[in-house]
Amino acid sequence: MDRIDAILALLHDDDPAVQESLLNRLGADPTLLDRTWLAATATSAVDVPPPALVQMVLRADAEALVDAFADADDLEAGVWLLPRLHGPRSDYRTAGAAALDALAERVRAAGAAENGATIAEFLGGQCGFAGDHDDYDNPLNTFMPWVLERRCGLPIVLTVLWLLMGRRLQVDIQAIAMPGHVLGRWPGGYLDLFEGGRMVTREELDARIRVFSDTAQPYLAPAGDRALLRRMARNLTHAYLRREDAVRATIAHGLATC
C-alpha cells in the first residue's frame, strides 16, 4: 500500500484522533491534499470521496470559489459555480451548457419558442419541471445540474432555467424576486415556474405582497443576475445551516455577500 492509498484508508477510520491527525497533516500540505483528492476521485473503487476529505477540499478552495463567484459576469457563469459546494473541483459548466443548449433546441423544435408562456408550458408540461414540495430545503434543489437531472427545484432555480432558455431563444422574459418566492414575467403576464408554469394574475401577486408590505412596486421590478445569484447562495446558506453543515454554510454565506 503506497502513501496515498494509506491516507485514503485512514480517512475511513472512525477514530476521532486518527481523523484529526490526518486532517491536520493534509491541511498543512496542499500538494498532498491535491494528490489525495485526485486519487479519491480517479479510482472506481471509491464512488464518493470520504466526507472528511471533501470538507478539507472545500475549506482549501473556499477563497478561490468566492472570488470566482464574485467575478462571474452573468447568471449562467454563476449558476455553474454554485454546484462546487456539493462536489468541489468539478467542471459543471461544459456539460451543463450543452444540456441547456439541447433543451433549447427541443423547445424550438416543438414550436414552443414563441414567448415566455409557451416556453414555460413546454418545460412544465413536456419536460415535467416543477417545484419540489416534498423536500423543499434539499440543497440539490438549488444546483442546476441536479435540477436538470431530477426535474425539480426551488422557485428561483426553475425561473433561472426558464430565463436561460429565453436568452438562448431570444425571447423577452424577466425574473421577479418577491419576498419568499420568485416568479417569471413576460409581456403577457406572470408565471409561477414552481407550479409548472401556471399563469399568475396581478391580483394574486398584490395579495401575496400585501403580507409583507403595502408597497407593491419595488417587488415587481426585474431582478438582475447578481441579485438572483446572491439569493440562490442565501438559500444554500440556510439549507446547510439546517443540516448543521458549517463548512458549506460558511462558504455559501461568503458567496451570498460578494
Side-chain angles (χ1 to χ4, degrees):
M1 180 180 291
D2 66 19
R3 185 185 186 191
I4 300 300
D5 288 339
I7 290 174
L8 289 173
L10 288 172
L11 281 166
H12 290 282
D13 193 310
D14 292 332
D15 187 334
V18 172
Q19 288 283 313
E20 182 178 0
S21 175
L22 188 57
L23 294 179
N24 286 339
R25 183 179 179 186
L26 289 171
D29 190 338
T31 300
L32 181 59
L33 177 62
D34 292 346
R35 290 178 57 204
T36 303
W37 179 257
L38 286 173
T41 55
T43 173
S44 59
V46 181
D47 295 328
V48 178
L53 179 60
V54 173
Q55 296 276 311
M56 281 295 303
V57 170
L58 284 169
R59 288 191 185 97
D61 294 353
E63 184 175 353
L65 178 58
V66 171
D67 288 345
F69 194 72
D71 291 340
D73 55 4
D74 62 18
L75 181 60
E76 187 162 345
V79 160
W80 301 124
L81 289 170
L82 284 173
R84 292 187 187 176
L85 274 172
H86 181 75
R89 300 189 179 182
S90 294
D91 173 18
Y92 295 99
R93 181 163 191 166
T94 300
L100 291 184
D101 290 344
L103 183 56
E105 284 306 310
R106 288 182 59 194
V107 175
R108 194 192 311 275
E114 181 179 351
N115 55 53
T118 56
I119 295 173
E121 182 180 353
F122 183 86
L123 293 176
Q126 297 298 315
C127 300
F129 285 100
D132 189 344
H133 293 270
D134 298 326
D135 194 15
Y136 187 89
D137 291 328
N138 189 332
L140 295 183
N141 286 330
T142 298
F143 298 133
M144 189 62 73
W146 285 273
V147 170
L148 290 171
E149 177 184 323
R150 300 162 69 238
R151 295 291 194 269
C152 65
L154 293 183
I156 187 170
V157 187
L158 294 170
T159 305
V160 165
L161 172 61
W162 176 73
L163 281 177
L164 296 179
M165 288 296 100
R167 292 179 184 183
R168 280 167 165 75
L169 298 166
Q170 298 184 327
V171 175
D172 180 21
I173 55 179
Q174 300 168 325
I176 304 298
M178 298 172 58
H181 205 68
V182 175
L183 299 167
R185 180 170 70 185
W186 64 292
Y190 300 90
L191 300 163
D192 192 337
L193 283 302
F194 191 73
E195 299 295 339
R198 178 178 68 84
M199 292 290 295
V200 179
T201 67
R202 177 59 187 268
E203 290 74 21
E204 184 178 348
L205 285 181
D206 289 343
R208 290 185 183 186
I209 291 170
R210 277 195 295 270
V211 175
F212 298 93
S213 171
D214 292 331
T215 306
Q217 188 58 39
Y219 297 124
L220 295 180
D225 287 4
R226 178 54 55 182
L228 291 170
L229 289 172
R230 286 174 176 158
R231 185 158 173 166
M232 292 167 71
R234 287 197 299 272
N235 288 339
L236 287 167
T237 303
H238 299 313
Y240 283 124
L241 283 173
R242 283 188 285 270
R243 283 161 174 74
E244 299 183 351
D245 189 334
V247 171
R248 286 185 170 94
T250 300
I251 299 171
H253 176 71
L255 298 175
T257 55
C258 68

